[in-house]
Amino acid sequence: MGPRRCLAARRSRAWGTFAVLNDPSRSGRAPVPVPGAVRLALEFVVLSGGAAGFHLAGHTIPAIIMALLIVISYAFSLDRLAWLLRQ
């Protein structure tokens, strides 16, 4: 497995493993419970990493579109962001 696939596999494993207990946007289970701020940072790193990957590959327009979609997604989930930060 190449280094890029390995990194993607690690990110997806972290996404599914580190969670906030009773997160209403997930099953509520947390294989490895973490504070909400840690989960939010993990989500940001994974999602922005995708946008950065597009940019580094020379695909600037898809990178900008992905970054905008991330911002829009967070803007429509402010209640979840507040919940995460309270945990």
Side-chain angles (χ1 to χ4, degrees):
M1 190 182 306
R4 288 185 191 139
R5 284 187 180 172
C6 192
L7 181 60
R10 281 189 223 136
R11 284 183 176 179
S12 66
R13 194 173 309 121
W15 186 278
T17 302
F18 300 103
V20 178
L21 281 175
N22 302 316
D23 186 344
S25 70
R26 297 173 50 94
S27 67
R29 295 179 309 217
V32 177
V34 295
V38 171
R39 175 64 191 191
L40 187 58
L42 172 66
E43 290 179 9
F44 182 76
V45 166
V46 170
L47 295 174
S48 63
F54 274 124
H55 178 69
L56 292 173
H59 302 291
T60 306
I61 299 299
I64 292 170
I65 291 170
M66 187 166 187
L68 288 173
L69 289 172
I70 293 166
V71 170
I72 291 167
S73 173
Y74 280 133
F76 279 103
S77 60
L78 292 177
D79 54 336
R80 180 173 182 272
L81 295 179
W83 182 87
L84 280 173
L85 294 174
R86 286 192 306 269
Q87 302 307 307

